[in-house]
Amino acid sequence: MKKINESFTCIHCGKEISQAVKTCRNHCPYCFVSLHVDGDIPGDRNTGCKGKMYPTMYEIKNGQMKILFQCQKCGKLHRNKRADDDEVENLDTYIKKYKETLY
Ligand SMILES: [Zn+2]
Ligand SMILES: [Zn+2]
């Protein structure tokens, strides 16, 4: 079995990220950028895209925050739950910043 909950270095801000214990994290808790590695099923690592995915918006349903990411390379949209240690108070700022610089 391949272990997927491992620590990694953020491809965007370069910070060392240790994995949240209960979630299968794939985005950075600081800048919220992730790599497009999954295909249609979250966690399947079934794409060769490897583009950068940036947060574009978020929504809160039943008290749970979901963040919508878009791949800058292929345009694929992907929804992901926030992780407990995400610095979500900065999320708005980052979304605005990415919109200004990327689109
Ligand atoms: Zn980062
Ligand atoms: Zn992609």
Side-chain angles (χ1 to χ4, degrees), residues 39-40 53 60 83 95 99 101:
D40 290 330
M53 300 194 80
I60 296 168
I95 288 175
K99 275 196 178 134
T101 52

Side-chain angles (χ1 to χ4, degrees), residues 3-6 18-25 83-85:
K3 218 174 120 207
I4 48 174
N5 262 344
E6 57 206 6
S18 58
Q19 287 284 7
V21 182
K22 282 183 188 156
T23 53
C24 182
R25 176 200 292 295
D84 289 341
D85 55 349

